[in-house]
Amino acid sequence: MPIDDLLIALFLILLLSRLLGETCQRFGWPVVVGEIAAGVLLGPSALGWLAPNPLLANIAELGIILLLFSIGTETSIKRLYHAGSQVLLVALSGIVLPLLFTGVAAFYWLSLPPFAALFYGCALTATSIGISLRVLKDAGQQQQHSSQIILGAAVADDIAGVILLSLLFSFATGAGFAPLPLLKLVLTLLVFLVFAPPLGRLLIYLLRFASGHAHNEGYEAVVMLALICLFAWLAHHAGAPALLGGFSAGLALSRQFVWPWQRYLQNPFAFTNKLEHAMQPLTEVFAPVFFVYVGISIDVSHLQLSGTHLLLLCGMVLLALAGKLLAGLAVQGPWRDKWLVGSAMIPRGEVGLVFAQFGQQLQIITTDIFTGLVLVIAITTLLGPLLLKTLLSHNNHSQKTPQ
């Protein structure tokens, strides 16, 4: 992409996402809905001013990495640990149910071959860890028990998504099922998630020591961005989504960071607070780019709009919604927590889009099936935050109402 095209693209993305985001906020809707709508408007579905592009995709991925870093700084490992069994149940249900519902429907309704139907179902098992957590963060609910379950289940879904994608790639390229490489991948991901945050805390100690010799302004933002990029790179080379690297770097700053040797790596609160605040403006700039790019990736011109096809599309959307909503039933506690968790698991977002693009590139699914799949992902990405926002508003109103 030439530099002039990149500059005008960023101008349009940042300006329109802010305008539509603010508009949605005034109506009480999630900001991310406006940001995705900005992408749909700018992309091939409407004005056609922007199209999916590798450079924009990389900038969008940087945005989601920074957003996950911000969320990691406010995550309680202790709460995640205590919610462990529920996290696993929600994550497992959120993978199995959508895979079963949509995979079987794709086989019978869309007449896809078994492998293509399996792929279709796998693409809809994903949960966008960034979208719902952005809504929770905007509502000031990221520290609630249900939010920690959502976070843990979404991380588990991301890891499962990587494993499924690797397995499907082996089948699609004719390599067949190779259990040892798959086991190695799973162990590598687990090792990364366990040891990356303590390593980040150790590096923060070194950065704090070096800060005493720094004389230039902006030291905290530069070194923290460098650290996030390093961890995202390590995550990518470990076979995990790069966004998990940003999340791990955020955990290293978390005030509620807990691990067995915690007393040896106490949180230097004054310094980590500086690092966190220094990164906030960068997150606010780059995070919307990702959500706009989700909208840009949608092209409804390839979609067949006959009555039958629209009915099938609605059916797929309903099954995709039901699979995740039912996953929330695994949560112990009041029904409001079950519906909150279920609705937060609905958006497919970036992981689902990666699946869809992968399937089209390897010719597992045709162009019209790809467009329909992307539209299902987009609709769930829009409906999930709206439903979650409605539930959060209802809960806040109930809590403020005098008994």
Side-chain angles (χ1 to χ4, degrees):
M1 177 181 279
I3 185 62
D4 56 333
D5 289 346
L6 175 61
L7 292 174
I8 194 63
L10 289 176
F11 165 76
L12 292 170
I13 288 171
L14 295 174
L15 180 63
L16 198 58
S17 66
R18 174 60 67 177
L19 289 175
L20 293 185
E22 293 283 350
T23 302
C24 284
Q25 194 171 37
R26 288 179 181 273
F27 283 98
W29 300 344
V31 173
V32 293
V33 173
E35 292 168 348
I36 295 172
V40 173
L41 184 61
L42 292 172
S45 294
L47 298 175
W49 292 351
L50 299 177
N53 177 279
L55 181 56
L56 286 179
N58 287 336
I59 296 174
E61 187 165 4
L62 175 60
I64 200 66
I65 289 170
L66 292 177
L67 178 59
L68 264 292
F69 160 78
S70 176
I71 291 167
T73 61
E74 300 170 354
T75 298
S76 170
I77 295 293
K78 189 174 182 180
R79 290 184 183 178
L80 281 177
Y81 174 77
H82 287 304
S85 61
Q86 294 186 68
V87 166
L88 290 177
L89 283 174
V90 171
L92 184 61
S93 301
I95 293 169
V96 172
L97 293 177
L99 173 59
L100 183 63
F101 292 171
T102 59
V104 171
F107 179 74
Y108 286 105
W109 294 356
L110 304 181
S111 302
L112 295 184
F115 182 71
L118 174 64
F119 181 88
Y120 193 104
C122 287
L124 293 172
T125 62
T127 292
S128 176
I129 191 173
I131 293 174
S132 291
L133 292 177
R134 169 73 176 272
V135 176
L136 291 167
K137 184 178 180 181
D138 289 345
Q141 298 290 316
Q142 68 272 22
Q143 294 295 335
Q144 298 299 315
H145 175 69
S146 56
S147 300
Q148 302 303 312
I149 294 176
I150 293 163
L151 176 61
V155 170
D157 270 8
D158 264 348
I159 296 172
V162 172
I163 296 170
L164 284 172
L165 197 59
S166 302
L167 185 60
L168 291 171
F169 179 80
S170 296
F171 277 102
T173 54
F177 177 73
L180 288 180
L182 184 61
L183 179 61
K184 181 182 177 182
L185 173 64
V186 174
L187 292 176
T188 302
L189 293 177
L190 293 176
V191 168
F192 177 82
L193 287 172
V194 169
F195 289 102
L199 175 60
R201 177 62 62 85
L202 180 61
L203 291 175
I204 286 171
Y205 269 77
L206 296 176
L207 294 176
R208 185 184 65 164
F209 173 78
S211 68
H213 305 281
H215 302 290
N216 296 327
E217 292 186 5
Y219 171 83
E220 290 83 6
V222 170
V223 297
M224 196 63 240
L225 181 59
L227 190 63
I228 292 170
C229 290
L230 171 64
F231 274 73
W233 178 83
L234 289 173
H236 176 75
H237 282 273
L243 55 86
L244 289 184
F247 177 68
S248 298
L251 285 178
L253 268 67
S254 175
R255 292 177 176 270
Q256 302 178 71
F257 176 89
V258 176
W259 73 310
W261 297 278
Q262 169 73 10
R263 64 180 181 274
Y264 299 114
L265 288 176
Q266 294 292 330
N267 191 334
F269 291 116
F271 184 64
T272 55
N273 190 52
K274 285 183 180 180
L275 294 175
E276 185 178 344
H277 282 285
M279 289 305 302
Q280 189 172 353
L282 285 174
T283 304
E284 294 296 330
V285 169
F286 284 101
V289 178
F290 163 74
F291 299 106
V292 175
Y293 192 77
V294 170
I296 293 173
S297 300
I298 300 168
D299 185 357
V300 297
S301 64
H302 291 110
L303 189 66
Q304 300 183 45
L305 298 177
S306 67
T308 303
H309 286 92
L310 284 177
L311 187 62
L312 290 175
L313 177 65
C314 292
M316 283 298 186
V317 170
L318 289 175
L319 290 175
L321 293 173
K324 293 295 187 179
L325 279 174
L326 291 175
L329 298 179
V331 177
Q332 299 173 7
W335 278 97
R336 68 176 186 86
D337 285 351
K338 297 177 187 291
W339 294 124
L340 277 175
V341 171
S343 63
M345 299 289 287
I346 287 174
R348 269 55 174 195
E350 72 282 0
V351 182
L353 290 172
V354 168
F355 258 97
Q357 290 166 356
F358 168 84
Q360 188 187 41
Q361 289 170 3
L362 289 183
Q363 299 181 342
I364 299 173
I365 54 177
T366 59
T367 301
D368 58 329
I369 296 296
F370 166 79
T371 304
L373 177 57
V374 170
L375 199 55
V376 173
I377 292 168
I379 292 172
T380 61
T381 302
L382 289 169
L383 290 180
L386 286 172
L387 180 57
L388 181 59
K389 176 78 174 181
T390 301
L391 290 170
L392 288 171
S393 300
H394 177 72
N395 288 339
N396 289 338
H397 177 72
S398 299
Q399 291 170 5
K400 291 178 182 177
T401 302
Q403 301 296 324

